Amino acid sequence: MVVPLTNEPSDRWAWVEIDLNAIRKNTRAFKGLLKRGTKLMCAVKADAYGHGAVECTKAMKASGADQFAVATVAEGVELREAGIEWPILMLNQAPESAIDTLVAYDIMPSVYTSEFALAYGERAAAADKVGKYHLAIDTGMTRIGVLPEDVIEFRHAIDFHRGLSCAGTFTHFATADSAQDWDFKLQAQRFMDAVDALRNAGCDVGLVHCDNTPGTVLHPQLHNDMCRAGIGLYGLQPCELTAPRISLTPAMSVRARVTRAIYPAVGEGVSYGLNYRVPTPHVQIATVPLGYADGLSRTLSGRMDVLVHGRRARQVGNICMDQFMFAVDTNPVRSYRRAQPVAEGDLVTIIGEDGDERITADEMADLRGTINYEVTCNFGMRLEKVYV
Ligand SMILES: *Cc1c(COP(=O)(O)O)cnc(C)c1O
């Protein structure tokens, strides 16, 4: 009889566990880096990097966060519908067809075309509101924003509109996480020059902000009025440089339970393609009900470990859409690292700690050839989140 963990879903033996205490602790750590009065904007886009936007937003606010950032209109609406009333910035422009939704839900867009800005001002005025926005400046990332040399002209083209109000001015760094800081310094210089020029031209720039997680930790001279942290709030380091500077606690664990465990005959194959063959007697093959549709990249097939009974076991065979298998060598003649057999219902850790062992999102990211951000976002896809 399996004794379920607190909050474990009743209908599926696979879930994401979110430690809200870690989120609170990390948020306080970031707030602690800021001078009094400097605001903290928390990036809760992509369902809070897979951690659950509504719960994380509440935990962050309770720990000193001031504002929140989303990537899409729907993400902003989700927070508003959950009763969240704090400022929300969308880190992009929206299609003009979404403007009425932005106005109705009081979601500030980032703005960089005058067509969009004026259409937004029109719809806000029509609703008897003032459309707050943040001006995005492209200082070198070449993603979104007005080019620094065009910012004054841009503001002059839209500032006449009574339906518009600039609540912030920001840029985004491409290399805040790099030890090579020439490009970073150039972006920072372009940004501060553009802000100065706007102020000198009499424009209200609102809150000035540019630092993301690595910037906030490594470049305090650029905190300005607000920092925009994301990954660090979830307890992950954006790069090796930040690790010695701030202590963070990962908030996400990914767990499952064994749904079947058998001892196939030597030579039997495992999973699509039968790429793995049982090599010796006493090898147990255990099945876990979690697959690539849950965010466990198929590129990890045969290359990752899981934790069971506080020890590592090798995942074997191709990862399927909804399940994967792992092998446990219980061979009694191998006294060295002989593993205890697993049984249906045993707890399996895909990300997180079990006993003295731990598998981090960074370990998985390295195996996949990606970054920890993508690993946690991916686990947000389908698994139920439980909060502890
Ligand atoms: C995602 C994002 C952030 C947060 O970045 P982290 O590296 O997770 O801190 C900040 N600003 C913008 C514009 C973003 O898109």
Side-chain angles (χ1 to χ4, degrees), residues 26 29-30 33 213 217 237-238 242-248:
N26 298 329
F30 274 88
L33 296 175
T213 295
V217 177
Q237 298 286 350
T242 52
R245 306 277 290 270
I246 187 165
S247 153
L248 300 169

Side-chain angles (χ1 to χ4, degrees), residues 311-322:
R311 297 172 65 162
R312 283 179 181 257
R314 184 51 43 136
Q315 188 277 324
V316 297
N318 278 327
I319 294 170
C320 310
M321 188 182 290
D322 319 295

Side-chain angles (χ1 to χ4, degrees), residues 43 45 49 91 143 170 172 212-214 228-231 373:
K45 59 195 184 190
Y49 295 39
L91 296 166
R143 188 169 72 175
F170 76 101
H172 192 48
N212 53 0
T213 295
R228 297 188 311 270
I231 196 75
Y373 296 65

Side-chain angles (χ1 to χ4, degrees), residues 30 41-45 49 69-71 89-92 110 141 143-144 170-173 176-177 209-216 227-234 236 238 373:
F30 274 88
M41 171 177 271
C42 298
V44 292
K45 59 195 184 190
Y49 295 39
V70 297
L89 173 67
M90 177 175 164
L91 296 166
N92 208 339
S110 300
M141 169 116 171
R143 188 169 72 175
I144 61 161
F170 76 101
T171 195
H172 192 48
F173 293 124
D177 57 353
H209 51 110
C210 55
D211 270 337
N212 53 0
T213 295
T216 304
C227 292
R228 297 188 311 270
I231 196 75
L233 302 170
Y234 307 102
L236 300 176
Y373 296 65

Side-chain angles (χ1 to χ4, degrees), residues 96-117:
E96 283 186 29
S97 48
I99 286 177
D100 284 335
T101 310
L102 292 175
V103 171
Y105 284 89
D106 193 16
I107 298 162
M108 296 181 282
S110 300
V111 158
Y112 57 90
T113 70
S114 51
E115 293 76 14
F116 175 86

Side-chain angles (χ1 to χ4, degrees), residues 19 67 84 142 148-149 169 171 180 182 196 200 247 271 333 360:
D19 177 356
Q67 305 209 359
I84 283 156
T142 317
E149 58 268 34
T169 300
T171 195
Q180 285 285 324
W182 197 87
D196 282 346
N200 291 337
S247 153
S271 195
V333 294
T360 61

